Amino acid sequence: MSEPELADAPLPWAYGAPPLQAKLRSTPEDFVVEEILGYDADGTGEHALLWVEKRGANTDWVARELAKFAGVSPVAVGYAGLKDRHAVTRQTFSVQLAGKPDPDWSTFPHAEVKVLAATRHSRKLKRGALRGNRFVLVLREVQGDRTAAEKVLTQIAARGVPNYYGEQRFGREGGNVAQARAMFAGRRVDRDKRSFLLSAARSQIFNSVLAARVERAAWDQPLDGEIWSLAGSRSWFGPEPFTDVLAERLARADIHPSGPLWGQGEPPTQGEAGALERGIAAANSDLAEGVAAARMDQERRPLRLQPKDLKWRWLGDDALELAFELPAGAYATVVVRELAQSQTDNTTHRIL
């Protein structure tokens, strides 16, 4: 029997049931995301590096419209990552002009998209080439225990949250996992969709491992046979004995316990950590075997997400503003879910 899928089973919370109910994304301005590339344009080259603000617009659509406006092929446009549509987002796009002058970006013909700055750069912007994202979120119509909320926020600032994949990864009502299972059973899918379904399958296994470790209060503490993720990189190491040196690095969030992004071969964990991962993979054998057959390698993802510079303030009696920075690949909604449940959804496991 397989583990329950994301849409059917609650993901456990690190700090107990959230103390608040609230609405997120009442307007796009209540969910502001600003990309952090981690480097500056070099000032020369055939690529225009554009700092773009969009409101209620899809990243792929913006890329296509930039290509059309510049008179280049869509493949000439690059961006580091997809950003929420139902939000105000600021992110970088690159447009390869190959000997062409810059168009007048201020005349870009879509009111929901503004090109805020343009600089020349020598290389195309590649997917994943960013350090992280800054968020400013506003929760509206807040109800609940404010004192308890302050306590949870203080705990999040100190300890972080479980680094779940957000429900965006799984599609509407978790349907991507069901589609991945159908694909592994023989259903044909488009090549572009295949990558999304493979990611959903790996994410399902990861979230199941993380949920089990939250239940054991071991999402930010080691198990025997642990593999450690190095903060700010994709590197990992271990297993090795848990020493005072590792304990100190864990305490200052230089390293995190990790979970599997499943692939071919055996995971590197041993002992209790390895037994847990192998057991969950066996319970989801169709997903584990499917991603292995796709020749994906075993990789690791931190189990703990540590928001940087977490700040909050109450905007009157029923609105709460949160501001924080997250590394690339992390979800702001998994920070919010520890604090508040959606007022419009009675299923307590739903992520805002």
Side-chain angles (χ1 to χ4, degrees):
M1 180 177 178
S2 64
E3 291 288 316
E5 292 187 5
L6 181 67
D8 299 323
L11 293 171
W13 296 284
Y15 306 111
L20 300 179
Q21 288 189 326
K23 290 184 178 179
L24 184 59
R25 304 179 196 263
S26 296
T27 68
E29 286 75 15
D30 284 345
F31 200 101
V32 177
V33 188
E34 187 169 291
E35 194 173 73
I36 307 167
L37 277 187
Y39 63 87
D40 296 322
D42 52 31
T44 61
E46 63 180 20
H47 297 267
L49 208 61
L50 308 178
W51 183 233
V52 174
E53 179 179 281
K54 63 183 184 66
R55 180 189 188 277
N58 177 280
T59 299
D60 282 331
W61 176 82
V62 172
R64 291 193 300 271
E65 291 301 307
L66 287 170
K68 186 187 303 182
F69 181 73
V72 299
S73 167
V75 299
V77 178
Y79 53 85
L82 297 170
K83 293 291 182 288
D84 296 83
R85 178 177 181 179
H86 302 291
V88 173
T89 68
R90 302 182 191 101
Q91 70 180 115
T92 304
F93 292 81
S94 68
V95 181
Q96 187 175 17
L97 296 173
K100 291 186 174 186
D102 280 66
D104 184 355
W105 298 109
S106 68
T107 64
F108 188 69
H110 297 288
E112 64 272 41
V113 181
K114 297 178 182 178
V115 179
L116 303 177
T119 313
R120 284 286 178 151
H121 193 57
S122 59
R123 297 185 304 277
K124 181 179 180 178
L125 188 59
K126 294 183 178 180
R127 295 290 290 270
L130 74 161
R131 192 181 79 202
N133 297 284
R134 295 188 185 92
F135 297 87
V136 179
L137 314 180
V138 179
L139 307 184
R140 303 283 183 187
E141 300 181 31
V142 177
Q143 300 176 13
D145 188 334
R146 285 178 57 154
T147 300
E150 294 277 349
K151 182 178 179 181
V152 169
L153 284 163
T154 301
Q155 290 176 303
I156 292 172
R159 290 180 58 191
V161 299
N163 191 25
Y164 291 120
Y165 281 101
E167 66 176 2
Q168 303 96 309
R169 175 58 66 97
F170 300 95
R172 176 173 290 188
E173 298 181 355
N176 286 355
V177 175
Q179 291 183 57
R181 289 195 153 108
M183 179 179 70
F184 296 146
R187 179 185 295 173
R188 296 175 66 92
V189 300
D190 294 339
R191 183 175 179 180
D192 290 343
K193 190 172 185 179
R194 175 180 170 82
S195 63
F196 281 103
L197 299 185
L198 287 170
S199 294
R202 298 176 99 193
S203 301
Q204 171 67 21
I205 295 172
F206 177 89
N207 271 12
S208 296
V209 170
L210 178 51
R213 291 193 56 158
V214 172
E215 294 283 9
R216 299 186 189 193
W219 60 277
D220 63 346
Q221 298 296 317
L223 294 179
D224 177 57
E226 189 69 66
I227 294 294
W228 297 100
S229 284
L230 186 62
S233 79
R234 296 183 179 181
S235 300
W236 48 268
F237 65 92
E240 58 185 68
F242 188 58
T243 63
D244 290 343
V245 172
L246 290 181
E248 187 275 330
R249 294 180 68 185
L250 176 64
R252 60 182 168 88
D254 178 51
I255 58 174
H256 307 287
S258 72
L261 298 178
W262 206 265
Q264 55 189 345
E266 290 295 314
T269 42
Q270 299 176 5
E272 186 180 5
L276 173 64
E277 293 179 7
R278 289 166 175 82
I280 287 175
N284 292 273
S285 59
D286 54 346
L287 301 181
E289 292 168 6
V291 295
R295 299 184 179 275
M296 305 190 81
D297 293 328
Q298 290 279 351
E299 298 178 279
R300 307 296 295 180
R301 174 180 168 91
L303 295 177
R304 176 174 63 172
L305 174 60
Q306 191 77 49
K308 184 179 179 182
D309 297 329
L310 173 62
K311 297 180 175 63
W312 62 90
R313 61 176 180 148
W314 293 92
L315 308 176
D317 293 333
D318 66 347
L320 175 61
E321 180 185 88
L322 307 173
F324 50 87
E325 178 181 322
L326 296 180
Y331 292 80
T333 49
V334 306
V335 177
V336 178
R337 77 180 294 274
E338 293 290 333
L339 180 68
Q341 296 178 46
S342 170
Q343 285 186 0
T344 58
D345 194 295
N346 293 323
T347 55
T348 59
H349 66 278
R350 291 276 292 184
I351 300 172
L352 283 167

